[in-house]
Amino acid sequence: MNHLVVTRTLPDAVMARVSAQYKPIMLNQNGAFAIEAFLAAADGVDAALVTPADRIDAAVIARIPASVRVLGTFSVGTDHIDLEAARARGLPVVNTPGVLSFATAELALTLMLMAARRASEAERLVRAGGWSGWTPDFMMGRTLEGKTLGILGLGRIGLALAAMARGLSMGVIYHNRREAENAAGAEFIIDEADFLRRCDVLSIHLPGGEATRHWLNQARIAMIKPGAIVVNTGRGSTIDDAALVAALRSGQIAAAGLDVFAHEPAVPAAYLTLENIVLLPHIGSATLETRVAMGMLALDGIDAMLAGRDPSNRVV
Ligand code: DGY
């Protein structure tokens, strides 16, 4: 039986498979990644399964014991792993593409609706005992019906969101570096400024990393249709938080919904002072069904690599 070290507690069904198939070393870490404990536990094991909360940078990769033949991540995103360092060292990495697309799109839609209909603000008011009764002009939000959703980064999640948005009678446009082969009817807008000008709602689905850092900055915010809504379920690093705060204060951006932050679990203090922002704790893929599927796919990849096969979810 192969030995597998797992950094965090996984859903029961995934744990059951881990216990049945491997000699597991469960670290059950919570909070900050305990690097030394991970490296000590990995000594002599065949494979490791980590999560997006575990930063596997070049220094960690250099110290992963030679016995480890594959690194799995319980995520589709890989910006927490230095893939170049893994490649250089010859350490294969597997991830969990596809299985979390619907759940993440569901959460982007949730954020869109909550931001448009002021749901967080309204619920805070009820809980604080501040509701004095129904009036015609109370807590008016805006409808999404007939509005234009702009998807930045049309991949699997964006496609799932586009299908959902059509159910709300929204028009859907998207901006990618290249036109998608299958955009399921969403209109490709090649020019970034045109794209931003047409967005009533901008939903960001970019991977993290240096190439996309602060993509949504002051200059691009100035190009967005005034009064638009911004939603981000990709990676927090793609937004310049100071620029977004200023735009939410000025009304250039009417409302925002964020599930991801640059330095999780820290949330920029200025966001907490604003009523027109919905803040969620990176729960895009957090449904039981999805998290089980993610665990199974990561284990499929690890199994395949250990058996000498090349799985489709191998990223390095
Ligand atoms: C991922 O898989 O990259 C997600 O961000 C975790 O929900």
Side-chain angles (χ1 to χ4, degrees), residues 154-233:
L154 188 84
R156 296 182 188 93
I157 297 169
L159 282 171
L161 180 63
M164 293 174 191
R166 278 195 209 94
L168 293 172
S169 306
M170 297 185 82
V172 185
I173 60 176
Y174 74 98
H175 180 72
N176 278 7
R177 265 179 304 186
R178 274 182 297 281
E179 187 163 6
E181 266 172 37
N182 170 21
E187 185 187 348
F188 178 52
I189 311 291
I190 190 160
D191 183 75
E192 189 178 280
D194 270 358
F195 170 74
L196 290 170
R197 243 192 312 275
R198 287 180 55 185
C199 289
D200 292 301
V201 179
L202 169 67
S203 188
I204 303 176
H205 301 272
L206 296 179
E210 265 318 296
T212 58
R213 191 168 175 278
H214 287 190
W215 186 93
L216 189 66
N217 55 17
Q218 198 182 9
R220 291 194 175 99
I221 285 174
M223 295 180 203
I224 296 185
K225 187 173 191 175
I229 289 171
V230 169
V231 163
N232 189 14
T233 52

Side-chain angles (χ1 to χ4, degrees), residues 12-309:
D12 290 349
V14 184
M15 290 307 311
R17 175 168 163 191
V18 166
S19 303
Q21 258 185 256
Y22 290 89
K23 287 207 168 127
I25 301 165
M26 289 303 308
L27 298 180
N28 298 319
Q29 291 191 1
N30 241 322
F33 178 42
I35 296 169
E36 296 306 324
F38 167 69
L39 291 171
D43 197 15
V45 310
D46 304 281
L49 181 53
V50 302
T51 75
D54 311 323
R55 180 143 296 283
I56 311 292
D57 59 18
V60 173
I61 286 186
R63 294 179 60 206
I64 289 180
S67 61
V68 176
R69 287 179 282 147
V70 53
L71 180 68
T73 180
F74 188 83
S75 62
V76 64
T78 51
D79 59 315
H80 56 295
I81 301 174
D82 190 323
L83 295 181
E84 278 320 306
R87 192 170 286 118
R89 185 184 152 166
L91 177 65
V93 177
V94 297
N95 71 341
T96 67
V99 292
L100 43 65
S101 306
F102 195 90
T104 308
E106 257 179 357
L107 200 83
L109 181 67
T110 303
L111 288 170
M112 283 162 54
L113 286 165
M114 288 179 77
R117 299 303 301 272
R118 303 171 64 181
S120 285
E121 184 184 353
E123 210 229 11
R124 275 194 296 276
L125 179 130
V126 171
R127 284 180 186 269
W131 186 28
S132 54
W134 193 96
T135 60
D137 61 352
F138 177 60
M139 249 327 138
M140 287 185 294
R142 283 163 329 144
T143 185
L144 295 181
E145 184 183 17
K147 301 283 168 62
T148 298
L149 167 64
I151 296 177
L152 178 65
L154 188 84
R156 296 182 188 93
I157 297 169
L159 282 171
L161 180 63
M164 293 174 191
R166 278 195 209 94
L168 293 172
S169 306
M170 297 185 82
V172 185
I173 60 176
Y174 74 98
H175 180 72
N176 278 7
R177 265 179 304 186
R178 274 182 297 281
E179 187 163 6
E181 266 172 37
N182 170 21
E187 185 187 348
F188 178 52
I189 311 291
I190 190 160
D191 183 75
E192 189 178 280
D194 270 358
F195 170 74
L196 290 170
R197 243 192 312 275
R198 287 180 55 185
C199 289
D200 292 301
V201 179
L202 169 67
S203 188
I204 303 176
H205 301 272
L206 296 179
E210 265 318 296
T212 58
R213 191 168 175 278
H214 287 190
W215 186 93
L216 189 66
N217 55 17
Q218 198 182 9
R220 291 194 175 99
I221 285 174
M223 295 180 203
I224 296 185
K225 187 173 191 175
I229 289 171
V230 169
V231 163
N232 189 14
T233 52
R235 285 294 181 263
S237 56
T238 61
I239 290 184
D240 175 343
D241 295 310
L244 181 57
V245 166
L248 286 164
R249 286 196 177 126
S250 73
Q252 166 66 10
I253 302 294
L258 307 181
D259 182 48
V260 286
F261 302 89
H263 305 289
E264 296 173 7
V267 173
Y271 286 147
L272 304 177
T273 68
L274 297 171
E275 288 289 6
N276 54 345
I277 187 164
V278 183
L279 302 166
L280 295 181
H282 201 150
I283 55 171
S285 66
T287 66
L288 179 60
E289 298 88 338
T290 300
R291 289 284 164 89
V292 169
M294 288 167 70
M296 296 304 179
L297 184 55
L299 290 176
D300 289 347
I302 290 172
D303 289 354
M305 287 305 309
L306 291 178
R309 298 191 307 272

